[in-house]
């Protein structure tokens, strides 16, 4: 009896590389592997490749796999010379040194021009801003750049075994986060790239949602996509849904049938991995805030959850504005976090733990308001496993939220794409979409408004201004 074909999904995230191998028909997990990435905001892409090899080995390789797709962190700048060698370590999405360059790009052409051209306004995280920084601060490196790609593009290219930069490919979802590709027209805006970088290096060919990029070890290699697009695909988000991902960063995205453009810069008008659109707002501070607060309280994450859940809703009046690493939404790269409402009765571990949870969730809830009304609010990511987050989220988002069953949603989305590539004439298989549970809101009507007032105070502080 011929075994059912398998598909593999790869998630090359900021922190680690995860590989899932699934049954192509049922979506059932067959085997998996994981390997860590080095810390930092710039990384030699070779580290990603070595981590992918270790994760693939742990997952039993691509034996029996019919198709594989790569999802990876968005925006990261991978610069290659004419021979395909990496020019310098990749600048990651969370590297803020390009903030002044992004401000210059906004000032030079105007935020509305950028929004209308590519659906988004340049921020420090965007590839176009990093290219401007590279041209200004490392002209020798910039002069060597023959091709520019993204983390998922580079890993897909390496998987295929190509050393020719002409073979680089990407997908519309990840391309929409560069700042020089238009979701509305489906084409590169090389005029914007030339304005930012001074010239136009070779760019990856943009593939459709089911177009194969090539092959690797006998498996078809799918187009791949960015991590946020893969997460939406992995949980089966439909038009009207809002997906809240709580990982290293916090992301709020909404599946839409039409492209969007926000001149204010809060919402990035991305494309998704299916042919639709994925307007998105991102916060820099999410699960890492929980980790830091737990470390400060000298407790484990389980104990941290216990403390936060035992504390009263509203944290006894304590409000945490969690701009620990600066912030992207709102765009305050030099901001820092703050605690408001400190009193003798709330300066205790419980309210401090709960205030951290309420802070990151309320910050995401304010970002979600810009995206409009939702059918479902789906909460995913490593932070979604927190009992405290599950308790706070419905109140912050104003109703019920849906918590899909915990799994590697980004890797699962990549695997779902791989299965779709095997059968491109059919819709993406629903067998990969996990079940989940609804969570109900607790009564605490003033929590979001208290957070909004505290955040406004931090936003107005001089140290929050971009200098």
């Amino acid at each position: 009896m011929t075994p059912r074909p398998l598909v593999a999904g790869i998630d090359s995230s900021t922190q680690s590389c995860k590989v899932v191998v699934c049954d192509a028909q049922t979506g059932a997990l067959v085997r998996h592997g994981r390997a860590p990435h080095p810390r930092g905001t710039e990384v030699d892409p070779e580290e990603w490749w070595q981590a992918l090899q270790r994760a693939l080995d742990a997952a039993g390789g691509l034996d029996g796999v019919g198709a594989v797709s790569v999802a990876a962190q968005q925006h990261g700048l991978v610069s290659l010379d004419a021979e395909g060698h990496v020019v310098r370590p990749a600048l990651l999405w969370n590297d803020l040194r390009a903030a002044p360059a992004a401000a210059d790009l906004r000032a030079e052409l105007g935020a509305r021009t950028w929004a209308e051209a590519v659906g988004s306004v340049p921020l420090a995280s965007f590839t176009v801003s990093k290219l401007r920084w590279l041209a200004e601060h490392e002209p020798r490196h910039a002069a060597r750049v023959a091709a520019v790609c993204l983390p998922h593009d580079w890993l897909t290219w390496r998987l295929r075994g190509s050393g020719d930069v002409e073979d680089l490919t990407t997908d519309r979802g990840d391309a929409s986060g560069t700042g020089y590709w238009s979701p509305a027209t489906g084409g590169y805006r090389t005029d914007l790239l030339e304005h930012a970088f001074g010239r136009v290096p070779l760019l990856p060919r943009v593939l459709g949602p089911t177009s194969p990029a090539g092959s690797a070890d006998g498996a078809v290699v799918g187009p791949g996509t960015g991590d946020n697009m893969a997460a939406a695909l992995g949980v089966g988000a439909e038009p009207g849904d809002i997906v809240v991902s709580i990982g290293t960063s916090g992301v709020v995205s909404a599946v839409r049938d039409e492209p969007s453009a926000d001149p204010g810069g809060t919402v990035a008008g991305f494309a998704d991995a299916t042919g639709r659109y994925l307007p998105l707002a991102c916060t820099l501070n999410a699960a890492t805030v929980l980790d830091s607060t737990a470390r400060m309280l000298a407790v484990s994450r389980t104990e941290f959850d216990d403390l936060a859940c035992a504390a009263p809703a509203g944290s006894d009046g304590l409000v945490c504005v969690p701009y620990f690493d600066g912030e992207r939404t709102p765009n305050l790269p030099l901001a820092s976090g703050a605690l408001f409402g400190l009193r003798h009765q709330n300066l205790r571990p419980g309210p401090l733990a709960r205030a951290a949870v309420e802070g990151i969730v309320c910050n995401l809830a304010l970002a979600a308001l810009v995206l409009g009304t939702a059918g479902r609010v789906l909460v995913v990511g490593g932070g979604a496993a927190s009992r405290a987050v599950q308790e706070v989220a419905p109140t912050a988002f104003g109703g019920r939220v849906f918590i899909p069953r915990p799994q590697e949603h980004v890797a699962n989305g990549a695997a779902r794409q791989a299965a779709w590539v095997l059968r491109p004439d059919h819709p993406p298989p629903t067998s990969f979409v996990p079940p989940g549970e609804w969570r109900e809101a607790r009564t605490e009507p003033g929590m979001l408004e208290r957070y909004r007032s505290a955040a406004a105070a931090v936003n107005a502080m001089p140290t929050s201004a971009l200098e």
Side-chain angles (χ1 to χ4, degrees):
M1 180 178 178
T2 304
R4 285 181 173 175
L6 303 176
V7 291
I10 296 166
D11 171 18
S12 183
S13 72
T14 312
Q15 296 178 330
S16 62
C17 181
K18 284 83 67 177
V19 175
V20 297
V21 177
C22 305
D23 185 295
Q25 295 182 31
T26 68
L29 180 66
V30 175
R31 54 187 195 259
H32 62 92
R34 183 187 186 104
H37 284 158
R39 295 190 177 189
T41 62
E42 65 171 52
V43 174
D44 183 348
E46 186 65 25
E47 299 276 5
W48 299 332
W49 178 248
Q50 295 303 323
L52 173 55
Q53 298 310 300
R54 294 193 297 272
L56 276 172
D57 287 345
L62 295 179
D63 185 41
V65 170
V68 56
S69 282
V70 179
Q73 54 186 302
Q74 286 189 254
H75 307 307
L77 170 60
V78 181
S79 51
L80 304 175
D81 66 17
E83 286 71 45
H85 302 131
V86 174
V87 171
R88 72 168 323 279
L91 295 174
L92 306 190
W93 63 273
N94 55 354
D95 191 301
L96 298 180
R97 74 186 81 179
D104 288 344
L105 292 173
R106 295 194 300 270
E108 290 161 7
L109 298 182
R112 182 170 295 278
T113 296
W114 286 98
E116 291 176 352
V118 293
S120 302
V121 176
L123 299 174
S125 57
F126 282 28
T127 317
V128 71
S129 306
K130 299 180 188 306
L131 281 166
R132 167 60 70 87
W133 179 90
L134 186 67
E136 291 181 339
H137 293 270
E138 297 183 358
R140 287 188 178 181
H141 285 147
R144 289 183 53 207
V145 174
V148 171
C149 63
L150 301 165
H152 117 255
D153 310 341
W154 187 82
L155 285 168
T156 298
W157 181 68
R158 286 294 302 269
L159 262 181
R160 293 164 52 204
S162 175
D164 186 347
V165 293
E166 296 282 349
D167 290 337
L168 285 165
T169 60
T170 190
D171 89 303
R172 59 193 300 278
D174 218 1
S176 65
T178 60
Y180 46 81
W181 186 86
S182 168
T185 66
Y188 282 115
R189 287 295 302 265
T190 54
D191 57 325
L192 299 180
L193 176 55
E194 184 173 10
H195 177 83
F197 191 55
R199 59 188 176 86
V200 180
L202 186 144
L203 300 173
R205 181 165 51 94
V206 182
L207 301 176
T210 61
S211 300
S215 62
D217 294 338
V220 176
V221 178
T225 194
D227 54 358
N228 295 303
M229 297 76 195
L233 188 60
V235 298
E238 297 290 342
D241 288 345
I242 285 181
V243 181
V244 181
S245 179
I246 304 176
T248 303
S249 62
V251 175
V252 182
S253 57
V255 179
R256 297 286 187 261
D257 288 320
E258 301 294 333
S260 63
D262 174 21
T266 298
V267 176
F270 295 157
D272 77 349
T274 72
R276 294 190 174 101
Y277 302 90
L278 196 75
L280 177 152
C282 178
T283 67
L284 287 180
N285 300 278
T288 51
V289 172
L290 308 184
D291 293 333
S292 295
T293 308
R295 187 165 57 251
M296 185 268 291
L297 295 173
V299 296
S300 68
R301 278 293 296 272
T302 299
E303 293 168 327
F304 175 88
D305 263 5
D306 292 340
L307 287 170
C309 289
S315 307
D316 266 343
L318 190 62
V319 180
C320 172
V321 180
Y323 299 167
F324 290 18
D325 291 317
E327 192 45 86
R328 170 172 162 174
T329 304
N331 183 30
L332 300 168
L334 301 182
S336 57
L339 284 172
F340 289 83
L342 279 167
R343 296 184 181 276
H344 294 295
Q345 65 267 26
N346 63 24
L347 191 54
R348 296 179 289 111
L352 283 168
R354 189 170 188 97
V357 176
E358 291 180 351
I360 66 167
V361 177
C362 284
N363 200 33
L364 287 163
L366 289 182
L369 291 176
V370 185
L371 297 178
T373 57
R376 295 179 299 171
V377 176
L378 300 96
V379 181
V380 301
S386 161
R387 290 187 298 110
V389 167
Q390 293 179 12
E391 183 176 296
V392 169
T395 301
F397 285 92
R400 305 168 76 205
V401 301
F402 189 74
I403 314 290
R405 180 178 294 168
Q407 59 179 246
E408 297 291 352
H409 295 296
V410 173
N412 194 60
R416 190 181 183 206
Q417 183 193 71
W420 193 15
V421 169
L422 288 179
R423 301 186 69 194
D425 295 333
H426 297 73
T430 57
S431 56
F432 283 74
V433 178
E437 298 181 35
W438 289 97
R439 294 285 189 274
E440 303 288 342
R442 288 177 60 174
T443 303
E444 182 51 36
M447 181 180 70
L448 189 59
E449 286 308 312
R450 284 196 300 275
Y451 177 81
R452 191 198 303 267
S453 297
V458 174
N459 299 353
M461 292 178 181
T463 52
S464 297
L466 180 62
E467 299 174 352

